[in-house]
């Protein structure tokens, strides 16, 4: 079962109440170390803690991973593969080393502090996980309704299967990039409504999709299923996802088989993986079912998460970022447990490091929509920026930043930033 850290616990490292990285969080990432190697790390306040350095100093000697330093790695996969018992042991040990009144082994050792602690702004973070497969679901009913109304009309907005199963498609794992990696505008075939034939060139309708995703931390064998109540053993943690979408490429190519080049060029994720243990206190009831689901999709307890989400745009002319949207992960119709249960119901073997995206997270109101497609309603309602320009979709030079956090009593469990700048297309 997930292990939560008492809300009253405080760290000897200062953490402002609106900082993402409280001691209740303890997320995991992969950092580049000063000698050019890689190490698993966690964050607390404005500091990054190098777990490989802590392991070298014998700080995990009383855990099951004492023998091998699994934190000397360029991805979290080995740590994830070690399983839930190890996830729990490491979290508890970190909490003990970092909390006020805990084990002083790090706090009182200047040498170790110098080796293991670094200000967050000096650390380069990498893609945290070697991602095997990337699946993207389509689990927000508000989003599915909006897009359905735009393209099929109100009567046929939801496809007949939508309320019966979390629909999804297989994306491209090799083009998932960490926050900070600039995205080149994609090129491709598009066809204007009044044109006879398609033409080739840079996408003109480049969009974001505000999503969250989970990493599989425990594999299942071919032919077996993961039930909704096994989620906490099989899911390691969550990240923010910007699933970049070229709407003009997508519109022309996606029938009959679904998205291809309109999505495959780039997906950006946040570098910090927030564990289900840290998210446990923020569980909340899922949206009410419109119709009953089949037994394998039923859930016995609250399975949604209350996670505040925002997206901001920073153009080259804006003096400060402008908020595009503010929504919440709890608005999703299908939960991550249902997504994993459905993904494996045909006997699919999931592997450690597989990434599952939620699909665009749109809320019920006009200011809580998770894509420009919806915010500007297919380009019919342009958005005014304080620099005097307008947006229907993104321009070259725009930076899009996603943030997300759970609000506790006096502390936050946050995800950091998922940001990327759009560069001009390679000349055709
Ligand atoms: Ca998507």
């Amino acid at each position: 079962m997930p292990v939560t850290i008492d809300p009253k616990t405080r760290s000897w490292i200062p953490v402002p109440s609106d900082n993402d990285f409280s001691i209740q969080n303890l997320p995991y990432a992969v950092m580049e170390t000063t000698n050019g190697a890689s190490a698993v790390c966690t964050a607390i306040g404005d500091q990054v803690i190098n777990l490989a350095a802590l392991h070298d100093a014998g700080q995990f000697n009383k855990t099951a991973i004492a023998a091998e330093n699994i934190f000397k790695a360029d991805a979290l996969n080995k740590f994830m593969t070690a399983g839930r018992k190890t996830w729990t042991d490491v979290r508890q040990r970190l909490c003990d080393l970092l909390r006020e009144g805990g084990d002083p082994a790090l706090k009182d050792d200047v040498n170790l502090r110098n080796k293991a602690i670094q200000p967050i702004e000096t650390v380069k973070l990498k893609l945290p996980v070697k991602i095997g497969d990337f699946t993207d679901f389509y689990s927000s009913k508000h989003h599915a309704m909006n897009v359905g109304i735009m393209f099929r009309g109100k009567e046929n907005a939801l496809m007949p299967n939508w309320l019966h199963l979390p629909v999804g498609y297989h994306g491209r794992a090799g083009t998932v990039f960490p926050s900070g990696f600039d995205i080149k505008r994609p090129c491709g075939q598009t066809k204007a409504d009044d044109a006879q034939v398609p033409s080739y060139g840079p996408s003109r309708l480049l969009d974001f999709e505000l999503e969250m995703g989970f990493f599989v931390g425990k594999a299942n064998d071919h032919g077996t299923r993961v039930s909704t109540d096994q989620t906490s053993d099989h899911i390691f943690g969550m990240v923010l996802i910007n699933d970049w979408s070229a709407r003009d490429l997508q519109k022309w190519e996606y029938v009959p088989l679904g998205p291809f080049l309109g999505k495959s060029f780039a997906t950006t994720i946040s570098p910090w993986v927030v564990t289900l243990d840290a998210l446990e206190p923020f569980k909340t009831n899922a949206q009410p079912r419109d119709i009953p689901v089949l037994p394998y999709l039923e859930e016995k307890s609250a399975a949604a998460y209350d996670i505040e989400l925002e997206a901001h745009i920073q153009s080259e002319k804006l003096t400060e970022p402008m908020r595009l949207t503010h929504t919440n992960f709890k608005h999703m119709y299908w939960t991550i447990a249902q997504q994993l249960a459905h993904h494996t119901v045909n006997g699919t073997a999931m592997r450690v490091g597989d990434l599952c995206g939620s699909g665009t997270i749109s809320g019920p109101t006009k200011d809580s929509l998770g894509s420009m497609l919806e915010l500007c309603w297919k380009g019919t309602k342009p958005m005014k920026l304080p620099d005097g320009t307008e947006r229907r979709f993104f321009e070259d030079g725009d930076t899009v930043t996603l943030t997300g956090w759970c609000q506790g009593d006096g502390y936050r469990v946050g995800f950091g930033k998922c940001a990327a700048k759009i560069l001009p297309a390679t000349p055709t």
Side-chain angles (χ1 to χ4, degrees):
M1 282 306 291
V3 173
T4 59
I5 294 170
D6 190 293
K8 291 192 190 69
T9 304
R10 290 292 176 266
S11 175
W12 49 268
I13 293 176
V15 184
S17 59
D18 62 349
N19 186 290
D20 278 347
F21 307 122
S22 61
I23 194 163
Q24 286 76 16
N25 191 349
L26 301 176
Y28 299 107
V30 173
M31 66 189 285
E32 203 172 286
T33 61
T34 42
N35 61 5
S38 300
V40 172
C41 56
T42 188
I44 186 143
D46 295 329
Q47 306 295 320
V48 170
I49 317 290
N50 179 333
L51 303 197
L54 292 183
H55 197 291
D56 277 347
Q59 295 305 327
F60 293 100
N61 277 355
K62 288 179 185 157
T63 69
I65 53 159
E68 187 194 357
N69 193 339
I70 59 173
F71 303 124
K72 276 186 187 166
D74 60 0
L76 293 171
N77 297 54
K78 212 168 193 181
F79 176 33
M80 293 154 90
T81 305
R84 164 144 287 286
K85 169 82 169 62
T86 298
W87 308 343
T88 302
D89 285 356
V90 168
R91 180 171 169 82
Q92 281 176 335
R93 181 64 186 139
L94 287 174
C95 179
D96 202 29
L97 285 169
L98 293 167
R99 72 184 168 88
E100 251 170 22
D103 183 341
L106 175 61
K107 187 183 177 204
D108 290 354
D109 184 338
V110 180
N111 265 337
L112 183 55
R113 284 209 317 262
N114 287 339
K115 274 187 205 151
I117 305 180
Q118 227 177 299
I120 202 163
E121 70 270 13
T122 66
V123 176
K124 185 173 182 234
L125 297 172
K126 306 172 132 185
L127 193 70
V129 174
K130 269 205 173 62
I131 303 168
D133 286 303
F134 170 40
T135 303
D136 201 17
F137 285 94
Y138 190 62
S139 288
S140 158
K141 191 176 152 201
H142 300 296
H143 173 68
M145 284 294 290
N146 289 337
V147 175
I149 289 167
M150 272 182 230
F151 292 100
R152 287 189 298 275
K154 205 160 190 174
E155 297 308 306
N156 303 307
L158 284 187
M159 297 300 270
N161 61 2
W162 203 93
L163 294 170
H164 293 277
L165 56 89
V167 294
Y169 73 99
H170 290 107
R172 185 165 182 82
T175 48
V176 177
F177 300 112
S179 180
F181 182 91
D182 294 341
I183 303 302
K184 277 205 166 192
R185 179 177 295 273
C187 295
Q189 276 197 29
T190 59
K191 185 182 151 311
D193 287 340
D194 55 357
Q196 290 296 312
V197 291
S199 55
Y200 174 78
S203 165
R204 281 169 299 187
L205 310 183
L206 184 53
D207 198 357
F208 77 115
E209 288 190 337
L210 170 50
E211 302 193 12
M212 299 201 65
F214 66 82
F215 280 111
V216 173
K218 182 182 178 183
N220 65 293
D221 292 331
H222 168 73
T224 67
R225 301 171 190 176
V226 178
S227 68
T228 51
D229 57 7
Q230 291 172 319
T231 308
S232 67
D233 283 347
H234 281 264
I235 296 180
F236 180 75
M238 298 192 71
V239 289
L240 302 168
I241 297 182
N242 181 349
D243 187 35
W244 296 98
S245 300
R247 299 296 180 199
D248 39 1
L249 274 64
Q250 184 183 353
K251 187 183 168 201
W252 171 231
E253 73 174 1
Y254 88 116
V255 178
L257 289 182
F260 183 36
L261 303 186
K263 300 272 189 180
S264 63
F265 57 98
T267 303
T268 306
I269 66 169
S270 54
W272 295 103
V273 183
V274 176
T275 63
L276 289 200
D277 293 41
L279 296 173
E280 180 70 14
F282 305 98
K283 268 192 166 166
T284 185
N285 286 325
Q287 297 295 311
R289 303 293 98 186
D290 290 8
I291 55 171
V293 293
L294 286 170
Y296 80 89
L297 288 168
E298 282 172 3
E299 291 173 304
K300 296 182 187 79
S301 55
Y305 292 93
D306 184 350
I307 305 172
E308 302 283 343
L309 296 164
E310 288 188 346
H312 283 79
I313 180 174
Q314 173 72 62
S315 75
E316 286 181 333
K317 286 187 196 151
L318 277 176
T319 49
E320 57 184 61
M322 185 187 93
R323 192 166 82 178
L324 292 169
T325 189
H326 178 191
T327 185
N328 193 300
F329 191 51
K330 70 182 177 188
H331 296 312
M332 300 304 277
Y333 190 84
W334 296 105
T335 67
I336 58 173
Q338 289 171 322
Q339 288 167 348
L340 185 58
H342 184 66
H343 209 317
T344 57
V345 79
N346 65 346
T348 291
M350 303 292 284
R351 294 175 296 175
V352 171
D354 286 352
L355 174 64
C356 292
S358 60
T360 307
I361 303 160
S362 289
T365 57
K366 281 182 181 157
D367 58 356
S368 63
L369 305 172
S371 64
M372 293 296 272
L373 179 69
E374 295 163 271
L375 287 164
C376 301
W377 208 257
K378 220 177 162 186
T380 60
K381 295 177 184 167
M383 183 184 288
K384 287 208 179 340
L385 267 55
D387 63 8
T389 61
E390 280 186 349
R391 290 290 182 284
R392 292 172 171 82
F393 293 92
F394 295 122
E395 305 282 337
D396 294 343
D398 288 349
T399 297
V400 181
T401 303
L402 311 183
T403 51
W405 69 93
C406 304
Q407 187 63 55
D409 186 6
Y411 72 97
R412 274 186 180 185
V413 169
F415 287 79
K417 283 182 178 171
C418 173
K421 184 175 181 177
I422 298 165
L423 302 181
T426 305
T428 53

